[in-house]
Amino acid sequence: MTQDTATTSSKKLSFIDFRNEVLNDYRIARISRECSLLGRREVLTGKAKFGIFGDGKEVPQLAMAKAFQKGDFRSGYYRDQTFMMAIGELTAQQFFAGLYAHPSLEADPMSAGRQMGGHFATHSLDENGDWKNLTQQYNSSADISPTAGQMPRLLGLAQASKVYRTVKELENNTNFSVKGNEVAWGTIGNASTSEGLFFETINAAGVLQVPMVMNVWDDEYGISVHAKYQTTKESISEILKGFQRDEKNNGYEIIVVNGWDYVQLIDVYNRASKIAREEHVPVLIHVKELTQPQGHSTSGSHERYKNAERLQWERDFDCLAKMRSWILDFELEDESGESLKFVASEAELIAIEKESKKHVSLAKRNAWSSYLNEIKTELAPAITHLTNLANKSANSSFITKLKNDLEAISEPIRKDILIACRKALRYVKDENFAEKTTLQKFIKQQINSGYNLFSTHLTSDTAVAPTNINAVAPTYSSEKNLVDARVVMRDNFDVLLKKYPEVLIFGEDAGFIGDVNQGLEGLQEKFGETRVSDTGIREATILGQGIGMAMRGLRPIAEIQYLDYLLYALQIMSDDLATLRYRTVGKQKAPLIIRTRGHRLEGIWHSGSPMGGIINNLRGIHVLVPRNMTKAAGFYNTLLEGDDPALVIECLNGYRLKEELPTNLGAFKTPIGEVETIKEGTDITVVSYGSTLRIVEEAAIDLLQVGINIEIVDAQSLLPFDLNHDTVKSVAKTNRLLIVDEDVPGGASAYLLQEILENQNGYQHLDSKPYTLTAKPHRPAYGTDGDYFSKPSVEDVFEAAYQIMNEAAPTNFKSLY
Ligand SMILES: Cc1ncc(C[n+]2csc(CCOP(=O)(O)OP(=O)(O)O)c2C)c(N)n1
Ligand SMILES: [Mg+2]
């Protein structure tokens, strides 16, 4: 073979490779499209509840998948099924399992039916809850439904690469990064860019210069609302032009491309990947001219809001139709004048289309029968138990009817089975025979299995779950070393930063000045700007930085300057962080620590203690309310050994109080889910937490003078609260209960009441009506008098306790008023 022919044949070979890749892409896109088409039918015929699909967005996702590398992360939304298929993380059968909400991770690896279809995820954790090697796999953080909710976390996923590239001590953490070469890819719909979270993320990523590629899938609509109501100038790339980098300033690379142009898209995605990966410069790709062939979701039809012209345009510019024509028309002449084509005739494409249809139809049937068969194995024993019950019972005919009705359901669900069995049990409530016991056992087993399917993994259940980390008491030197409490915090963080190279602390004023209360004083100088850093004023994305970095093996401590401003971040904490472990059935985690300070200052936005709102929105996150800095530092020490997220609220008025400096900094640990009795007493159990405890302690001294001896219990951990049920032991002794906090009436105090009276059966021990003493329902007014009349004072606590005793023993404790 001469040199020339060798070159020609290798060129030919590379053309064949290229051709195969193109046709394979077309096949993936066709399969994805068929899934969307059949998926919609499954919803309209009632087999699935709701469908939201990726039709009309296939082609750019093929291009993104080509640029996406192992170790990279996606943080996107419900249109991305084609991308997930192209990286090999979603099959057609899994797509349908998700649509049917099949509650099994094998069938639906995205969420085992916990999330509606179209919410994608990969597994970062193995069966023991330990990290897998994320650099050896494609990664998708688990989607959430709130529009733009994927943005804050995207920032952190991208920032992690920067941290791994910068911090030398992390070089060996090879499960998470190879020299910070990973890109975080965001996807968002054009209309969702109207959300504040999008703009906040864009700005922050530009400041931080992180390897983030933000993809906007633009189909001109957000459900029925046109771009003219969504975006100034109807173009996100147009209005973000000021972010474009230039010779003088860092910024973004902004690229605009049409979503139906396969060749351009591949080029654009290669370029974007290189810029982000190598230079750590964020890229915005505005992918225009996309369509929605079936409309937004199965909940409506787009003919209601798109005119005939637009609908025709969508047919003409359907990216898959455009790709098809491009394949058909493609022709190249090689050096010998031979024509190179992808397909000899249209028949080849028709064959791919037919084959894709068949593939999807089979996948759909398999997914359905797998879903149904699992239920049928639960149905069979139910029918047997009901038959046996009917044979024995005096109410035979009623039970037989329940059984027959159940059998008549052609595609029963678990709910149908349990309804029949639980109703049948009522018919035999006055009878007694073995078959009844069998049915009772079966019902309990079904309820238990429902718990396992739908209620596990709210928090960690691994060996290093924070609640499994044992307490270690602080130790002290023989000479009493009293310091300002903020020094305890600072010196403890110093030890932690040394001990854990993966720990980073960041927030407003957290870097250069070492936080507003100097709990981080001097630590930026010591550990560098990457590990102790200032951020912009943007609470939601501070949280997002933390979530994303925690998902990539770092141990971020995100600081929200004051508790009152946590509300800016509360949405993302609630929707994303608190649900992460649950929604992935334990396959992803973000053990982020959120540090903030609150309580007992003055003013509407500087002293709130909105604990009821917080604990009710944050199930899935540990909520800790230490009464002093030693307790708080102990919580950080505990949490860093654990694998769950937590919020620690330090007492804003506690930094200048004196505390003794422990000698075992970084090692003493405050237990999570345990209360502490800080004063023993006999008459009333007073439960409180945080700064209010100091008021209760003062009142206790006054109360002793009138012969009332209260026992004070520090809740310290609201989520979870008192796992050992120690509070009820105190109530059993005093027979009286008063809960004090500075939340609104019916807030966290009502939660504590429910925990103690109902969960711990405290009601059995009460000789007096249980009371809560809280702040007023309004935000606290400013100034000393404003505070006095807004929040519980020492006098209020005294009188509340006194009144309880007055009611119990009026002759001993005469009425004050
Ligand atoms: C915070 C929030 N508000 C409203 C919704 C309801 N919603 C779901 S999708 C959607 C439109 C999104 O449009 P766009 O971002 O353009 O994405 P597309 O569906 O067009 O791809 C809306 C309003 C939501 N999920 N979350
Ligand atoms: Mg849209």
Side-chain angles (χ1 to χ4, degrees):
M1 208 191 280
T2 66
Q3 190 63 37
D4 259 7
T5 47
T7 318
T8 314
S9 68
S10 82
K11 269 191 185 153
K12 229 178 211 164
L13 239 183
S14 73
F15 177 76
I16 289 170
D17 281 349
F18 179 42
R19 167 192 178 275
N20 289 345
E21 196 175 325
V22 169
L23 292 185
N24 191 45
D25 273 356
Y26 185 65
R27 183 175 296 110
I28 292 168
R30 278 287 5 147
I31 286 175
S32 172
R33 177 63 63 91
E34 289 303 331
C35 283
S36 302
L37 298 174
L38 265 191
R40 186 176 178 87
R41 286 235 301 269
E42 292 303 273
V43 175
L44 300 186
T45 58
K47 275 186 174 160
K49 280 211 134 166
F50 175 74
I52 188 149
F53 307 118
D55 47 310
K57 317 275 190 303
E58 291 92 347
V59 175
Q61 293 180 27
L62 295 171
M64 181 168 126
K66 282 184 203 301
F68 196 84
Q69 295 183 10
K70 291 201 167 146
D72 284 4
F73 260 88
R74 165 189 170 278
S75 184
Y77 79 119
Y78 49 79
R79 297 288 179 214
D80 292 347
Q81 71 199 46
T82 314
F83 170 79
M84 294 302 288
M85 289 175 176
I87 60 167
E89 292 297 329
L90 178 71
T91 66
Q93 187 166 331
Q94 289 164 348
F95 170 91
F96 285 101
L99 199 61
Y100 302 139
H102 189 159
S104 140
L105 266 184
E106 286 71 44
D108 169 25
M110 305 297 135
S111 77
R114 288 182 181 189
Q115 291 225 67
M116 56 173 62
H119 289 65
F120 307 109
T122 51
H123 296 182
S124 302
L125 305 178
D126 64 18
E127 50 291 340
N128 302 319
D130 294 326
W131 290 110
K132 293 163 74 180
N133 186 337
L134 304 186
T135 64
Q136 299 296 309
Q137 61 179 37
Y138 297 115
N139 302 289
S140 173
S141 58
D143 292 356
I144 60 174
S145 297
T147 48
Q150 70 275 33
M151 293 290 105
R153 141 176 40 103
L154 171 67
L155 179 67
L157 290 168
Q159 194 189 0
S161 290
K162 184 138 212 132
V163 173
Y164 282 116
R165 194 174 276 184
T166 315
V167 179
K168 275 216 164 44
E169 293 84 349
L170 293 173
E171 256 169 21
N172 297 329
N173 286 27
T174 47
N175 270 2
F176 303 104
S177 180
V178 180
K179 298 182 166 48
N181 288 337
E182 303 75 22
V183 172
W185 302 77
T187 69
I188 185 165
N190 58 297
S192 301
T193 65
S194 311
E195 294 278 10
L197 290 180
F198 173 80
F199 285 96
E200 196 176 307
T201 303
I202 285 283
N203 178 52
V207 170
L208 290 170
Q209 290 290 291
V210 289
M212 173 185 100
V213 180
M214 177 79 84
N215 303 278
V216 181
W217 304 148
D218 188 351
D219 57 14
E220 276 189 43
Y221 284 86
I223 311 188
S224 66
V225 182
H226 188 260
K228 67 177 174 228
Y229 300 107
Q230 301 280 3
T231 311
T232 310
K233 300 184 180 183
E234 298 182 30
S235 168
I236 194 68
S237 52
E238 191 60 33
I239 58 172
L240 292 182
K241 269 186 175 161
F243 283 84
Q244 174 65 49
R245 62 175 171 166
D246 55 34
E247 293 77 31
K248 286 207 202 89
N249 290 303
N250 285 335
Y252 273 75
E253 194 59 36
I254 298 180
I255 307 174
V256 182
V257 61
N258 285 328
W260 44 263
D261 192 338
Y262 179 73
V263 177
Q264 276 293 323
L265 282 161
I266 290 174
D267 178 54
V268 161
Y269 275 86
N270 262 331
R271 200 146 42 95
S273 166
K274 215 170 138 55
I275 294 169
R277 208 177 295 283
E278 292 172 9
E279 300 175 48
H280 277 192
V281 167
V283 182
L284 173 92
I285 308 180
H286 182 187
V287 183
K288 289 166 61 158
E289 302 207 353
L290 286 168
T291 69
Q292 245 167 213
Q294 301 189 105
H296 175 75
S297 73
T298 50
S299 296
S301 103
H302 59 156
E303 284 81 5
R304 279 191 299 160
Y305 50 83
K306 288 178 187 161
N307 63 24
E309 194 189 347
R310 170 73 195 186
L311 289 167
Q312 186 54 50
W313 180 87
E314 291 210 5
R315 279 189 287 276
D316 296 341
F317 282 78
D318 181 325
C319 61
L320 208 45
K322 289 287 246 185
M323 184 181 182
R324 189 181 197 276
S325 330
W326 174 75
I327 294 173
L328 274 178
D329 296 344
F330 186 90
E331 195 166 358
L332 203 76
E333 214 171 77
D334 73 3
E335 285 131 4
S336 57
E338 205 179 318
S339 147
L340 299 174
K341 291 185 65 117
F342 290 141
V343 287
S345 75
E346 195 178 359
E348 274 186 61
L349 288 186
I350 293 173
I352 291 177
E353 286 151 10
K354 276 194 175 150
E355 189 193 302
S356 307
K357 229 186 190 105
K358 242 170 78 186
H359 173 84
V360 171
S361 162
L362 183 67
K364 182 203 77 168
R365 270 181 282 136
N366 286 342
W368 182 248
S369 57
S370 155
Y371 166 76
L372 216 53
N373 284 342
E374 230 171 64
I375 298 177
K376 280 183 182 157
T377 60
E378 297 175 28
L379 176 68
I383 298 292
T384 309
H385 299 326
L386 291 173
T387 311
N388 295 345
L389 201 72
N391 286 343
K392 281 282 175 71
S393 171
N395 284 322
S396 176
S397 56
F398 295 107
I399 297 169
T400 304
K401 179 166 184 332
L402 282 172
K403 187 209 73 170
N404 290 344
D405 288 350
L406 178 60
E407 272 184 313
I409 302 173
S410 61
E411 282 156 355
I413 58 174
R414 290 177 174 84
K415 179 180 171 184
D416 299 319
I417 298 171
L418 264 175
I419 288 175
C421 293
R422 292 166 95 172
K423 282 190 167 165
L425 190 63
R426 297 177 202 165
Y427 286 117
V428 294
K429 68 178 180 16
D430 302 324
E431 298 178 292
N432 238 336
F433 39 78
E435 288 75 3
K436 176 179 170 182
T437 317
T438 312
L439 182 75
Q440 286 168 329
K441 268 196 200 144
F442 177 75
I443 292 172
K444 282 197 178 144
Q445 187 190 313
Q446 288 297 107
I447 289 174
N448 191 36
S449 110
Y451 178 88
N452 287 328
L453 294 179
F454 299 111
S455 300
T456 56
H457 296 284
L458 179 60
T459 54
S460 169
D461 59 2
T462 67
V464 291
T467 45
N468 287 335
I469 312 284
N470 290 326
V472 174
T475 52
Y476 298 101
S477 62
S478 49
E479 74 275 14
K480 214 170 157 76
N481 190 6
L482 279 180
V483 294
D484 278 356
R486 60 117 195 153
V487 173
V488 176
M489 195 60 77
R490 180 197 66 191
D491 291 1
N492 193 69
F493 277 132
D494 189 351
V495 173
L496 291 178
L497 283 157
K498 229 176 285 159
K499 184 170 169 187
Y500 299 104
E502 59 275 22
V503 164
L504 308 122
I505 309 180
F506 48 91
E508 296 152 19
D509 303 289
F512 188 67
I513 64 160
D515 94 36
V516 283
N517 295 93
Q518 301 242 278
L520 298 167
E521 184 197 16
L523 298 182
Q524 182 180 70
E525 212 180 348
K526 195 160 173 185
F527 294 96
E529 268 194 58
T530 307
R531 299 200 51 209
V532 182
S533 55
D534 286 317
T535 65
I537 306 175
R538 44 174 182 75
E539 287 75 11
T541 46
I542 289 174
L543 239 292
Q545 280 175 263
I547 298 173
M549 289 199 281
M551 292 178 87
R552 291 190 60 195
L554 297 168
R555 292 306 308 260
I557 300 176
E559 181 169 317
I560 300 296
Q561 199 160 63
Y562 298 105
L563 177 62
D564 305 71
Y565 308 128
L566 188 77
L567 299 199
Y568 273 66
L570 194 63
Q571 179 268 329
I572 213 66
M573 290 171 74
S574 180
D575 285 328
D576 195 0
L577 185 60
T579 66
L580 180 67
R581 198 180 269 276
Y582 174 78
R583 73 183 193 265
T584 59
V585 201
K587 292 299 173 193
Q588 291 187 8
K589 67 173 175 182
L592 163 65
I593 299 171
I594 300 135
R595 172 186 191 216
T596 188
R597 46 189 77 83
H599 318 310
R600 291 304 325 169
L601 253 190
E602 289 164 6
I604 296 174
W605 296 278
H606 290 86
S607 58
S609 188
M611 299 311 301
I614 288 170
I615 55 176
N616 288 323
N617 278 302
L618 297 187
R619 303 296 159 106
I621 298 177
H622 300 288
V623 176
L624 310 170
V625 280
R627 68 178 180 276
N628 61 35
M629 298 308 148
T630 307
K631 287 279 165 188
F635 275 136
Y636 295 119
N637 298 342
T638 306
L639 290 165
L640 284 171
E641 289 188 16
D643 61 355
D644 255 343
L647 168 69
V648 181
I649 301 167
E650 297 166 14
C651 297
L652 191 41
N653 60 357
Y655 295 105
R656 306 276 158 196
L657 300 178
K658 296 290 179 204
E659 289 183 35
E660 203 175 342
L661 187 68
T663 47
N664 56 345
L665 291 163
F668 63 88
K669 284 176 269 174
T670 314
I672 287 168
E674 283 184 27
V675 298
E676 188 182 336
T677 303
I678 56 174
K679 180 194 165 302
E680 304 229 344
T682 47
D683 296 326
I684 306 173
T685 300
V686 181
V687 180
S688 191
Y689 57 87
S691 298
T692 324
L693 279 167
R694 274 191 289 279
I695 286 173
V696 175
E697 281 178 305
E698 245 183 84
I701 296 167
D702 294 352
L703 283 162
L704 264 183
Q705 289 169 4
V706 296
I708 299 171
N709 186 6
I710 61 171
E711 177 144 310
I712 307 176
V713 175
D714 178 5
Q716 42 180 9
S717 166
L718 293 180
L719 290 181
F721 171 71
D722 191 8
L723 296 170
N724 302 326
H725 289 194
D726 285 330
T727 313
V728 74
K729 292 171 200 154
S730 169
V731 177
K733 190 171 74 173
T734 63
N735 310 114
R736 292 181 182 86
L737 177 63
L738 170 65
I739 296 170
V740 181
D741 78 357
E742 50 182 301
D743 193 6
V744 294
S749 60
Y751 160 79
L752 289 169
L753 208 59
Q754 189 249 349
E755 284 281 335
I756 299 162
L757 297 190
E758 188 182 328
N759 287 359
Q760 301 191 8
N761 286 322
Y763 76 96
Q764 291 177 337
H765 306 288
L766 287 180
D767 289 342
S768 294
K769 176 181 157 189
Y771 279 90
T772 61
L773 176 64
T774 67
K776 296 282 190 308
H778 56 75
R779 302 275 184 105
Y782 183 64
T784 306
D785 275 351
D787 173 74
Y788 191 77
F789 288 98
S790 300
K791 289 183 173 183
S793 62
V794 177
E795 289 68 43
D796 291 333
V797 176
F798 178 96
E799 290 178 8
Y802 189 88
Q803 192 192 332
I804 292 174
M805 296 314 291
N806 163 254
E807 280 166 17
T811 41
N812 295 350
F813 302 99
K814 301 251 162 36
S815 183
L816 281 176
Y817 293 100

